[in-house]
Amino acid sequence: MVWLLAIVQTLLFIGAAPLLAGWTKRIKCRLQNRKAPSLFQPYRDLFKLYCKQPIVPQPASWIFRAAPYIVFASTVLAASTVPLVAVDLPTARIADVIVLVGFFALGRTFQVLAGMDIGTAFGGMGSSREMTISSLAEPAMLMAVFTLAMSAHTTNLSQAMNYVLDTGLVLRPSFVFALGGLMLVAIAETGRIPVDNPATHLELTMIHEAMILEYSGRWLALIEWASQIKLMLYGVLIANIFVPWGIAQAPSLPMLGYGIAAIALKLAVLALLLALSEALFAKMRIFRVQEYLGFAYLLSVLGMLSHIILEAAR
Amino acid sequence: MPLFFAYLSVIAALTSALLALATNRRAGLQRLAEALGRHGLQAPPAVARILSETHFVRIHRYSLFALLGISGVSAVLAGLGALSSGAVRTDTLPFGLPWLSWHVRIDPLSGFFFCVLGLPLVAVSLYGPSYVREFEHGKHSLSALGLFTGLFVAGMELVLLADDAFLFMIAWEVMSVASYFLVAYQHDHAANRRAAFLYLLMAEIGAIAIILGFGVLAGFGGGLSFEALRGASLSPLWASIAFVLGLVGFGMKAGLVPIHAWLPEAHPVAPSHISALMSGVMLKIAVYGFIRFTFDLLDQILWQWGVLVLIIGSASAVLGILYALQQQNLKRLLAYSSVENIGIVFVALGLALIFLSSGQTHLGTLGLVAALLHSLHHALFKSLLFLGAGAILHQTHEQSLENMGGLVHRMPKLAAVFLVGTLSIAALPPLNGFVSEWLIFQTALQASAIESGVLRSLIPTASAVLALTSALAATCFVKVYGVAFLGLPRSHHIAHAREVQHRGMLGGPVLLAACCVLLGVLPTPLINGLAGLTRQLTGFELPHVSALGWLWLTPVSPEVASYSPALVLVGAMAVGWLCYYLLYRRTGLDPRRAEPWDCGFGGLTARMQYTSGAFSMPIRRIFQPVFELRETLEEHKEGPAQARVTALRYQFHVLDRAWLSLYQPSGRVVTKLARGAGRLQTGNIRTYLGYSFFTLLFLLWVIS
């Protein structure tokens, strides 16, 4: 039963991710006074790509072909370990939050390798930039996560969310810092403005796009879908770690329905915030990103230290 | 039984060395056989065939490495025996000083390191015969290589076996000196000789520190056997002096920052299978020495030591990987990455020391286990990567990443094996590098168990550094794989490279890759197997490691953290296959090959690709203060008023700051002192007579 719940929840994750992307895009269009596409446009795009014949660039090896599957699989595994509508997932025992970061790293590694596999200048450029950004973002993310783990005395996400729910609404300075750090990291890791621009096709500013420039057809669909899932994953992490209220603590139908409604609402609000910030800020120069991520890292470390100094003292 | 296998492995290694020496000259052996024949001792025809020119070299080569293989297999057997029984076997050999015969002992700790030594050694013995073939007709003697390889291996095994400081130091020196000759093997390049000298110098300084460390213990313990050293009761000050001496001595061999300078010089110049042994195994012998010295011989542990080790370990980890990222020579890059990995091991050891000194035996044990596991894992994947780099070198004579590229098409099997090593060292799940880093993070996360606030905030800071290190390591090895194996070939050699033909040269790396996957997916049996070891060192064993079953890793307790790499692997494969089935099998649309997009220029060339230097440029710029960067830009101009630039030549060198700020000044000081002392040597006989005269006068005065 719990395993069924875990699988259904993962499928819900995969299914709802394009919807979140569509919603974000819609708000952003509205904020920019543009006519918005349908909420379901991302599904149509994915289906269109699925039907197309993919093209493999000449110098590419098997890594180019295998990478989309690995990227997608690692993202789905990551999604399966993050509680979406209910805690006490059996999958949370297979992989804790450090492994979750490892899953992201695995997918990214293959995406970067695929970018270098095609032997173009763009692929290498995108790969180099992606790895640079992620090697600064990943420690910040780990530190933010560790703050939570040290407060809850566990790295198991289900347990940690239970802990936050059980202790009730307490204002912890460490959580505020960690939340700030994690939000900044989420923006960097999912390739949003001001670090990267998901809509760009301008050579000098591309990061994520430059790596996947040669993908087409079903492979591009997989990669796009994986990055939509990743966006939603970060949203769910932020929403459910720091404001876990509403999530189902017992697997009963009304609780689950309540959980779905709660997470939908939280994600909608987060998407609104994201779209707002994207409308307000401009993209940074690549060598400013280090300051941005250094700030995120600092916030996360501060969060951890403030936990240790202020909260863990007995 | 473990002791028997340990002896067997030492004897096999020594036999390999002696055989190499004895079969130095085929002609001599042939004459010997003929002479015997004349005296009526007709050798069987098989001997004549063996001694014939066509067979001799091959048999020579294979027999040397077969003996090393036997040594490796029996080392693994000895190690497994000692680990599984958990008992201590001791013996006394009738050599040594008149009042001190050599004490030999194998216990779970040395047993574990016998396994760390044995697995790469077996891989090397598979790999070696075809790799050294190119030295056969060169100017360097194969026998010398065989001799010193055998001595080197035997020395490392004796270090693990030693149970008294005397035998330990002899074995240590055999190991150091034999490896000096191996580093100096291709001595026709001045750079190689310099690297070897630097290595010898630093190895000896380290050895002096170790001797002094043992000396402090022996002074209080009243004997050189480890039994006596263990019994020494030291004041905290003397214990700290001994500890610092041990840390300097073993740390110099292990390659901790800032005493790592020999490592990136020596590893690239040795033959690749030797680099694999030096980086994969010898550094672990130093780790063994440190663990033996600190956790076993010293009778107390102070928290300050833990802090010191933690700081040095973190610095080594992050600086090692930052320098590795900037290297363009593949083997040099791997050498710097060893500095990083040793740093990670010492971070775990530092955590273990801090936890143990503050009474948290459980967490201290966890840190120790994490350090041991990372040592083993590093031995596996670093040997694998060095052997892989050696295979590239062997096939293409190319060491520089800037000239590689596209090898995945040329050497597909090697590329697949190398990928496993890359993913392991980048600490990605579900491979083995991730398991040990995960354990270290889990240990660090328990920092709140410590009373002292300073320590409690120091540990998370160290884990922040560790997180940065592991992210940078991923970047570094993605660069290595992407630049060397993917894309278009950047030079003529590489474009015409061919797959490794010899089975053994692939077999060795495949063996190591299989170990990497196996230990990554099923780590619990090994960790449970370390129970005897931890009981010996800390008097504690991890009780909850397999609380949820053997598929799950739960270092502290199931509620705190759990990880099941086997299920992760199954899940990933299931999801990946499902996607493949749904997307490919169902649509049946076959992909079409086409030219990649090249911005509308006419055709893509290899020179348009990102190079290794370009790939790591953002990191270089972000961490600028860490590096000493020398950049030069030459412009070739033509035309009226030299206005038209026709060619540009850009060069950059990344120099080690430790070298500039520590080694060069101390080198200058030594030279100055030597000059001063040199004034005594006038070369004039009268001056020397004068010295003798005044010495005699002085002595007479003293006596009277």
Side-chain angles (χ1 to χ4, degrees), chain B residues 244-596:
Chain B
V244 170
L245 285 168
L247 180 64
V248 169
F250 293 115
M252 203 167 253
K253 195 63 150 184
L256 289 177
V257 165
I259 40 184
H260 67 286
W262 64 271
L263 207 150
E265 303 293 326
H267 285 193
V269 302
S272 295
H273 64 293
I274 301 297
S275 313
L277 282 181
M278 282 179 80
S279 197
V281 181
M282 191 178 74
L283 305 187
K284 306 302 140 32
I285 302 293
V287 172
Y288 161 81
F290 181 75
I291 292 177
R292 173 70 78 197
F293 193 83
T294 315
F295 288 82
D296 191 15
L297 298 185
L298 284 170
D299 63 338
Q300 55 188 327
I301 288 172
L302 303 180
W303 64 266
Q304 292 92 334
W305 305 352
V307 172
L308 183 68
V309 172
L310 193 65
I311 291 172
I312 293 181
S314 306
S316 304
V318 73
L319 289 176
I321 197 62
L322 278 174
Y323 279 112
L325 245 170
Q326 305 306 330
Q327 304 304 316
Q328 275 133 45
N329 180 317
L330 180 52
K331 285 176 76 179
R332 212 175 146 85
L333 183 150
L334 291 174
Y336 265 116
S337 139
S338 290
V339 175
E340 175 232 339
N341 279 288
I342 288 293
I344 293 176
V345 171
F346 274 81
V347 165
L349 286 175
L351 290 176
L353 287 172
I354 291 178
F355 280 120
L356 284 176
S357 65
S358 46
Q360 302 284 341
T361 322
H362 175 195
L363 297 172
T365 309
L366 184 60
L368 183 65
V369 166
L372 291 171
L373 276 190
H374 198 76
S375 303
L376 175 62
H377 294 165
H378 179 242
L380 294 174
F381 52 64
K382 189 48 69 67
S383 309
L384 164 59
L385 293 174
F386 263 117
L387 294 185
I392 299 174
L393 186 65
H394 184 262
Q395 296 300 105
T396 64
H397 298 281
E398 193 56 75
Q399 286 213 30
S400 169
L401 282 173
E402 302 292 13
N403 296 332
M404 293 184 190
L407 283 173
V408 70
H409 303 288
R410 297 267 146 215
M411 308 166 94
K413 289 179 197 155
L414 183 74
V417 182
F418 204 91
L419 183 64
V420 175
T422 309
L423 297 180
S424 299
I425 202 168
L428 295 174
L431 289 159
N432 63 353
F434 183 77
V435 174
S436 34
E437 285 200 6
W438 187 78
L439 281 177
I440 298 174
F441 280 132
Q442 290 298 346
T443 317
L445 281 178
Q446 307 304 319
S448 46
I450 292 180
E451 294 295 319
S452 150
V454 179
L455 291 182
R456 248 190 300 147
S457 47
L458 187 73
I459 292 175
T461 316
S463 71
V465 175
L466 194 61
L468 179 66
T469 307
S470 80
L472 287 171
T475 309
C476 178
F477 282 93
V478 161
K479 175 187 102 161
V480 168
Y481 199 80
V483 172
F485 284 92
L486 304 179
L488 299 167
R490 292 177 172 84
S491 70
H492 184 72
H493 286 308
I494 298 289
H496 296 275
R498 284 175 49 210
E499 177 69 280
V500 184
Q501 297 297 321
H502 310 280
R503 237 176 277 156
M505 230 166 143
L506 273 175
V510 165
L511 175 76
L512 293 171
C515 289
C516 283
V517 175
L518 193 70
L519 288 178
V521 174
L522 294 173
T524 19
L526 176 66
I527 298 177
N528 282 327
L530 293 179
L533 198 168
T534 53
R535 214 178 313 121
Q536 178 205 350
L537 290 183
T538 64
F540 196 82
E541 49 189 276
L542 297 174
H544 307 297
V545 169
S546 44
L548 292 174
W550 57 278
L551 277 178
W552 310 73
L553 190 59
T554 46
V556 185
S557 73
E559 289 76 42
V560 171
S562 53
Y563 166 46
S564 170
L567 293 180
V568 164
L569 184 68
V570 170
M573 281 164 68
V575 176
W577 183 81
L578 203 66
C579 291
Y580 179 72
Y581 179 79
L582 289 178
L583 290 179
Y584 187 68
R585 292 279 158 195
R586 297 301 293 270
T587 60
L589 279 175
D590 273 319
R592 182 165 59 88
R593 284 265 172 193
E595 285 294 318

Side-chain angles (χ1 to χ4, degrees), chain A residues 89 92-93 96-97 154-161, chain B residues 558-562:
Chain A
L89 289 181
R93 291 205 149 174
D96 68 347
V97 69
T154 176
T155 53
N156 183 320
L157 268 174
S158 284
Q159 301 268 359
M161 286 175 193
Chain B
E559 289 76 42
V560 171
S562 53

